[in-house]
Amino acid sequence: MASHRKSRTPGTRVAGIRTPALATAALTSVALLSQTAEAAPGEDRPSLEEVEKKVGDLYRQAESATEKYNAAKEKTGKQRKRVDTLLDDVAKRTQKLNEARSELGSYAAAQYRTGAGMPDTATFLLAETPQDIFDQRQVLDRMTGRQKAAVDDYVTQQTETMKKRQEATESLRTLTETQGDLKTAKATVQKKLADARELLSKLTAEEKARLAAIEKRKQEEAARKAAELARQQAEQEQAREEAAQQGGGASEGSGSTGSTETPPTDSSYGTKAEKALAFARAQIGKPYVWGATGPGSYDCSGLTQAAWKAAGVSLPRTTYDQVNAGTTVPVSQAQPGDLVFFYDDVTHVGIYIGNGMMIHAPKPGTYVREESIYYDGDSAIHSIVRPA
């Protein structure tokens, strides 16, 4: 059976999401030149790999801030809808309160016309709160049944209107807070990206080429690991087919870590996954834009959410919530359509397509593309989640 792992407590990891070859080379080169210029005579010059990790952190921080922005934006949207609903309700209840007040006024006018002195109903029109009304018990005792009914309606409408006004006030206060969180997250993302652009403006062609070569070697290693995973999965599939032909006794109940038995899945999962993948493939080539959910651009969680929505499955907006929206499975048992999460703080996600590959929206300056799930090394993979 599939294991149900809880998401790990957010931590830190030095390695970050890769930039495109030229962008990585550019950023790393500038950081390297800056550190070298500031180094004391005889001090060791940092390696390109070390500097590349620092540059990766810059993009990781931007993507982490993007997910916080996404969460704040979603919360702000929901809170704004709640405020709008409450204000609409207050308006309707205020109308009903005015109608109830008008009815009481008609009783007061009638009492004036008959010379009954201070109208009993007028007493309630002067009351400012429901409690003021209930304090006039001696007046209530002198009223007719219809008058009391009018007072009861007025009290009900006034009480509910005051309650909804208070709720609207509290919701407006919460909305202001979430808008503040949204503004803070947005500023953080913009600051990280501005720093990257500033570094890019100082690059040289020589550093570009040197770091592009490093990036190429890493991509080759990632492709090799993806091919190895594809081979392992093919062997597992063959073993399952052979076990099925022999009655299923070959691997059942082993319970070992190396078991070839896959977790049971809903019979419709394959169909849903095909729809999600078809959508994701159609987005290849569209730009990564932080906070975007399509159709012209996406960030990482925006793409996975949209892909599974096309398959009829509703996923949460952020990586932090998507990681808990399904069943966790081992990497060796990943199936097309599964979500691949990265880093201990779960700030990146892609959608598995098989053979150790995924479709994802990498980071600013890149486009939706197919890439090895090992693009940032084995340790970068946080978990695999089957969402349906």
Side-chain angles (χ1 to χ4, degrees):
M1 298 293 291
S3 61
H4 295 266
R5 288 170 45 195
K6 296 182 179 178
S7 59
R8 306 175 193 172
T9 302
T12 57
R13 180 175 285 146
V14 177
I17 298 176
R18 293 282 178 261
T19 61
L22 294 183
T24 301
L27 295 177
T28 304
S29 301
V30 175
L32 176 62
L33 292 175
S34 176
Q35 291 190 23
T36 301
E38 296 174 359
E43 186 176 343
D44 290 339
R45 175 172 175 160
S47 69
L48 293 180
E49 289 83 356
E50 290 172 339
V51 177
E52 186 184 30
K53 287 182 179 180
K54 293 181 180 180
V55 172
D57 280 342
L58 181 64
Y59 276 93
R60 283 276 319 282
Q61 292 164 13
E63 192 159 26
S64 177
T66 294
E67 290 303 313
K68 291 179 181 178
Y69 170 85
N70 291 339
K73 183 177 180 180
E74 183 178 47
K75 185 176 181 181
T76 297
K78 291 179 179 179
Q79 193 62 31
R80 184 175 288 112
K81 288 181 180 179
R82 174 170 171 75
V83 168
D84 290 342
T85 298
L86 285 171
L87 291 177
D88 184 59
D89 194 7
V90 167
K92 292 178 179 178
R93 291 186 180 281
T94 298
Q95 177 62 32
K96 291 182 179 180
L97 178 63
N98 290 335
E99 292 172 356
R101 183 181 290 112
S102 177
E103 184 175 1
L104 284 181
S106 65
Y107 282 116
Q111 288 178 315
Y112 274 120
R113 286 195 299 271
T114 58
M118 177 63 180
D120 293 337
T121 49
T123 300
F124 298 101
L125 289 174
L126 297 176
E128 295 183 354
T129 68
Q131 186 60 48
D132 292 339
I133 293 176
F134 287 116
D135 288 343
Q136 306 296 329
R137 297 186 183 279
Q138 72 280 7
V139 178
L140 284 171
D141 291 340
R142 297 197 302 269
M143 286 189 166
T144 65
R146 292 184 63 184
Q147 286 176 311
K148 288 181 179 180
V151 169
D152 288 341
D153 182 49
Y154 179 70
V155 170
T156 298
Q157 298 303 329
Q158 188 180 42
T159 301
E160 289 300 317
T161 300
M162 293 176 65
K163 179 181 178 181
K164 289 300 178 181
R165 283 175 178 169
Q166 181 62 33
E167 289 181 17
T169 299
E170 293 298 326
S171 291
L172 282 169
R173 184 179 297 111
T174 301
L175 177 59
T176 300
E177 293 174 356
T178 57
Q179 287 175 327
D181 294 338
L182 183 65
K183 183 177 180 180
T184 298
K186 181 178 180 179
T188 300
V189 176
Q190 292 175 330
K191 177 63 167 59
K192 300 301 179 182
L193 298 182
D195 290 345
R197 286 192 294 270
E198 181 180 359
L199 291 174
L200 277 170
S201 68
K202 301 176 182 178
L203 72 103
T204 67
E206 182 181 354
E207 280 91 30
K208 282 184 185 179
R210 292 172 62 194
L211 289 174
I214 291 177
E215 182 67 19
K216 182 178 179 180
R217 289 196 297 271
K218 291 182 177 180
Q219 290 175 352
E220 291 172 348
E221 176 62 14
R224 185 192 66 76
K225 291 181 178 180
E228 175 63 18
L229 177 60
R231 183 189 64 76
Q232 293 175 359
Q233 291 180 329
E235 290 176 352
Q236 290 178 359
E237 181 61 27
Q238 182 179 358
R240 285 193 295 271
E241 291 177 357
E242 292 175 354
Q245 293 174 359
Q246 298 172 8
S251 62
E252 288 184 1
S254 67
S256 65
T257 304
S259 172
T260 59
E261 184 179 2
T262 57
T265 57
D266 187 283
S267 59
S268 65
Y269 182 76
T271 300
K272 294 176 182 177
E274 287 179 3
K275 292 180 180 179
L277 288 173
F279 179 92
R281 288 191 178 95
Q283 312 315 307
I284 291 176
K286 293 183 178 180
Y288 174 103
V289 174
W290 65 273
T293 57
S297 58
Y298 297 89
D299 63 17
C300 66
S301 55
L303 176 65
T304 51
Q305 183 188 49
W308 271 103
K309 182 179 180 181
V313 176
S314 178
L315 290 181
R317 175 63 182 94
T318 68
T319 54
Y320 310 129
D321 293 325
Q322 288 183 11
V323 74
N324 296 314
T327 302
T328 302
V329 300
V331 173
S332 62
Q333 296 176 354
Q335 295 183 7
D338 291 351
L339 302 179
V340 189
F341 293 92
F342 297 87
Y343 312 112
D344 285 341
D345 53 359
V346 199
T347 52
H348 190 64
V349 62
I351 182 167
Y352 191 65
I353 61 177
N355 297 324
M357 302 293 288
M358 66 178 174
I359 296 174
H360 69 149
K363 62 197 68 62
T366 64
Y367 299 84
V368 176
R369 67 192 183 202
E370 291 187 11
E371 193 162 22
S372 168
I373 64 173
Y374 298 105
Y375 80 114
D376 207 18
D378 304 62
S379 61
I381 299 176
H382 174 275
S383 58
I384 309 291
V385 173
R386 191 156 298 155

